[in-house]
Amino acid sequence: MSTRLKDLREKRGRIVTDMRGLLDAAGGESRDLTAEEQERYDALFADQERLGEQISREERQQALDRRMAEEAVRSEQAPVHPAPESREDRANPTPDGAYRAAFARFLRGGTGALAGEELRALQAGADVDGGYLVPPQQFVTELIKAVDDQVVMRGLARTFQVPQAASLGAPSLDADPADADWTTELATGGEDTAMKVGKRELRPHPLAKRIKVSQQLLRQALIGPEALVMGRLAYKFAVTQEKAFLTGSGAGRPLGVFTASDNGISTSRDVATGNTATEIRFDGLIEAKFALKGQYWPRARWIFHRDAVKQITKLKDGEGQYIWRQSVREGEPDTLLGLPMTLSEWAPNTFTTGLYVGLLGDFQHYWIVDALSMQVQRLNELYAETNQVGFIGRLETDGAPVLEEAFVRVTLA
């Protein structure tokens, strides 16, 4: 762990200790927090939340620094004149330095900035008539990784690629056979009528975003147009996918874990017992944890909005111990009832009767399916009056919970 990360974690730990001191003082006197104490507690909570975000950013930056250093080493070792392309190479363009340089020139100046050979290379396997160019393979890999870093669900779920198919289908056991029969040596038992086999199908849906960049910035940006476009598109696609994977309707977009559906997680997996109409309670979290089979616990984790965590930080078990514990080691998340916890800004945070306020599950049973590679289109003339260039990013993705018993939703009574 770096010195900066260590200092941030220690500072956050001291703030959490101060928060618990306020709660313990009020609890020892059998009273609620005073208005002044509540204001102080809220300020401390905001401080530790801010530090938690700084810790996450620092960890992501260190991971990015390591990847960039590895990439620099690979670039130095790459041959100046790559081997002749095969048909497979043209379907999946090479990530060599010359290809990346040509793609960067395309972002700066469009097709006019390219020589004939470079243009033909960039157009390999792309929709030439539509003006699309396929980014170099390394560019696409970096973009997907940036999405992983910014989107909680992509880092937890199981992902599939379907470059040659319109959808991904998987057989499902919708109902088990009935229990075996006690019988005699020569008998075969009764015929089973309970077992049902079905299919889960995920069909990637189109997702697109358009951004505008000034011509001057493209010429002068120190980070280069490739990194600039990559960063902004990564953020825009990340936010949209995160919302859909959590609360999407499943109609023309992914089906979210917080959406009640017979095609995903039905209301039979909602647990409200122990909670009130406006608050999450310790008993409610206990009920939710034990509504999930123990076999799922090793990979299970909670997802809450930070407003929900603010309530949870005040909860104690029967022995007076706080059930929420902040992480103290690099790469480890905060825990709740012994299971890791993840925050998302797009998890539900309306505390009203019957609404969802959290979820516990094994997210390897949430499947994400991506189709083909991302495409980037440059719009040279559309924004010429404002001296800007447009870029359109497109991809196709779908997602859904495929096994509902692997999840349980925390619901208010």
Side-chain angles (χ1 to χ4, degrees):
M1 183 188 305
S2 69
T3 302
R4 175 174 169 76
L5 265 178
K6 182 175 182 294
D7 291 343
L8 288 172
R9 290 187 180 279
E10 290 179 351
K11 186 175 181 180
R12 188 181 183 219
R14 290 192 295 270
I15 291 175
V16 171
T17 299
D18 291 342
M19 291 166 54
R20 288 173 173 167
L22 288 172
L23 296 176
D24 289 341
E29 299 175 7
S30 300
R31 61 175 176 80
D32 292 333
L33 295 175
T34 65
E36 183 179 350
E37 289 172 336
Q38 184 64 55
E39 182 178 356
R40 173 62 176 161
Y41 184 89
D42 292 343
L44 289 171
F45 182 87
D47 288 342
Q48 72 83 25
E49 189 70 17
R50 176 179 52 79
L51 287 170
E53 293 172 356
Q54 288 182 5
I55 290 170
S56 297
R57 286 196 298 269
E58 186 70 22
E59 290 176 344
R60 291 198 300 268
Q61 184 60 46
Q62 289 187 9
L64 177 60
D65 291 342
R66 288 192 295 269
R67 291 199 303 272
M68 295 301 291
E70 293 169 359
E71 179 184 339
V73 172
R74 289 196 298 268
S75 297
E76 291 176 358
Q77 296 173 347
V80 177
H81 300 290
E85 289 182 312
S86 65
R87 180 175 300 177
E88 181 180 356
D89 291 332
R90 288 190 173 274
N92 186 18
T94 59
D96 60 81
Y99 192 96
R100 290 173 60 83
F103 184 74
R105 283 196 293 276
F106 158 70
L107 292 180
R108 283 194 179 94
T111 56
L114 302 175
E117 288 297 322
E118 291 175 331
L119 180 59
R120 284 192 290 274
L122 283 176
Q123 289 173 335
D127 181 1
V128 178
D129 293 334
Y132 291 102
L133 296 186
V134 178
Q137 185 176 27
Q138 188 64 40
F139 177 91
V140 175
T141 301
E142 289 171 5
L143 179 60
I144 291 174
K145 189 59 182 177
V147 169
D148 287 346
D149 286 343
Q150 297 179 49
V151 178
V152 171
M153 290 293 291
R154 269 196 174 271
L156 301 176
R158 189 175 179 187
T159 58
F160 298 86
Q161 302 289 328
V162 287
Q164 303 298 330
S167 65
L168 174 72
S172 62
L173 181 62
D174 294 341
D176 259 335
D179 291 346
D181 302 318
W182 291 103
T183 184
T184 62
E185 180 181 358
L186 300 180
T188 60
E191 180 181 351
D192 182 75
T193 59
M195 181 175 176
K196 293 182 180 179
V197 178
K199 185 181 76 170
R200 295 288 187 271
E201 182 178 9
L202 286 88
R203 185 178 298 273
H205 305 290
L207 181 65
K209 190 64 185 179
R210 177 172 50 183
I211 62 176
K212 295 184 292 185
V213 183
S214 74
Q215 292 276 15
Q216 182 179 8
L217 184 58
L218 283 176
R219 293 194 305 269
Q220 299 178 354
L222 295 178
I223 62 173
E226 185 180 13
L228 178 66
V229 173
M230 179 187 70
R232 298 319 299 156
L233 286 179
Y235 175 73
K236 294 301 182 181
F237 278 88
V239 169
T240 304
Q241 291 178 81
E242 174 82 336
K243 293 177 181 177
F245 296 150
L246 290 175
T247 59
S249 65
R253 66 195 62 196
L255 178 63
V257 292
F258 284 105
T259 300
S261 171
D262 291 336
N263 295 322
I265 306 174
S266 67
T267 55
S268 65
R269 304 302 296 161
D270 300 347
V271 175
T273 305
N275 296 323
T276 71
T278 58
E279 292 183 339
I280 304 169
R281 293 292 177 87
F282 173 61
D283 288 347
L285 296 172
I286 289 290
E287 293 285 345
K289 178 177 179 178
F290 285 91
L292 188 69
K293 291 181 179 179
Q295 293 92 324
Y296 295 113
W297 289 1
R299 293 191 306 195
R301 68 172 53 215
W302 305 89
I303 283 187
F304 291 103
H305 189 276
R306 55 191 166 85
D307 290 343
V309 176
K310 188 175 180 179
Q311 288 188 10
I312 293 170
T313 58
K314 302 178 183 180
L315 300 179
K316 297 181 180 180
D317 61 20
E319 298 180 353
Q321 301 295 316
Y322 291 97
I323 62 174
W324 172 76
R325 297 185 182 279
Q326 78 278 11
S327 62
V328 295
R329 296 180 181 177
E330 182 176 358
E332 289 188 0
D334 299 335
T335 60
L336 176 63
L337 297 178
L339 298 178
M341 182 175 64
T342 299
L343 272 67
S344 174
E345 285 297 302
W346 293 277
N349 65 331
T350 301
F351 299 92
T352 305
T353 300
L355 296 186
Y356 300 136
V357 291
L359 180 138
L360 175 65
D362 178 355
F363 288 90
Q364 285 295 295
H365 297 287
Y366 188 95
W367 287 9
I368 295 174
V369 177
D370 297 319
L372 307 177
S373 63
M374 184 175 175
Q375 293 180 328
V376 177
Q377 183 180 17
R378 178 182 170 117
L379 306 177
N380 287 316
E381 304 298 332
L382 186 59
Y383 306 109
E385 290 185 353
T386 57
N387 197 33
Q388 292 175 306
V389 175
F391 294 96
I392 298 178
R394 301 180 190 273
L395 62 79
E396 295 180 2
T397 190
D398 194 12
V402 296
L403 183 63
E404 72 168 4
E405 80 162 21
F407 300 90
V408 58
R409 283 185 293 245
V410 181
T411 312
L412 295 182

